Amino acid sequence: MDKWLWHARFFKTRTLASRIVTEGRVRVNGDRVSKPSTAVGPSDTLTFAWGQHVRVVRIVAIGARRGPAPEAQALYEDLTEQTPASPQRTGPRPTKRDRRSLNLLRKSDLSE
């Protein structure tokens, strides 16, 4: 399993993938696994924490090597529910003067 996670480019190193599995933070078909040597194959569903998100992927193929990103993306089907993106700030970054005026407004709102 750790080798597949590394081939699919979810983790930078195989050691890191192995650590995530050993800590019990990966589920295969809903069952928690703690051995990096757990065998996985096509049609297995993996659930694991990836950064601050939970990823759910279905294995489509077993990779023979850690290749380029398009090759790695062909190894799985992403089943993760897409959450709406956080609203992006428009315009330039606020200046120090803008920040001070915002802080004054916030303080006045709290005191009322």
Side-chain angles (χ1 to χ4, degrees):
M1 176 184 319
D2 63 325
K3 199 170 185 180
W4 187 87
L5 288 168
W6 178 66
H7 282 168
R9 294 183 161 267
F10 285 111
F11 298 100
K12 274 188 165 184
T13 64
R14 190 168 167 198
T15 304
L16 183 58
S18 178
R19 185 180 321 140
I20 296 297
V21 175
T22 303
E23 291 173 357
R25 295 168 47 188
V26 177
R27 294 178 182 262
V28 177
N29 299 324
D31 299 325
R32 185 176 293 206
V33 254
S34 60
K35 291 190 177 187
S37 61
T38 302
V40 293
S43 77
D44 283 344
T45 303
L46 301 180
T47 306
F48 57 94
W50 192 61
Q52 294 185 352
H53 304 284
V54 174
R55 296 291 300 262
V56 180
V57 295
R58 180 176 297 124
I59 298 175
V60 175
I62 301 297
R65 67 184 185 114
R66 181 178 165 95
E71 186 177 312
Q73 289 169 349
L75 298 178
Y76 63 91
E77 176 186 351
D78 195 358
L79 304 175
T80 306
E81 292 182 15
Q82 299 298 325
T83 57
S86 60
Q88 296 295 321
R89 189 176 55 204
T90 58
R93 184 176 173 183
T95 63
K96 192 172 192 177
R97 185 177 190 179
D98 295 335
R99 191 187 76 236
R100 286 181 180 160
S101 62
L102 284 172
N103 286 341
L104 284 174
L105 284 173
R106 288 182 185 140
K107 285 180 183 177
S108 66
D109 287 342
L110 293 175
S111 62
E112 291 178 1

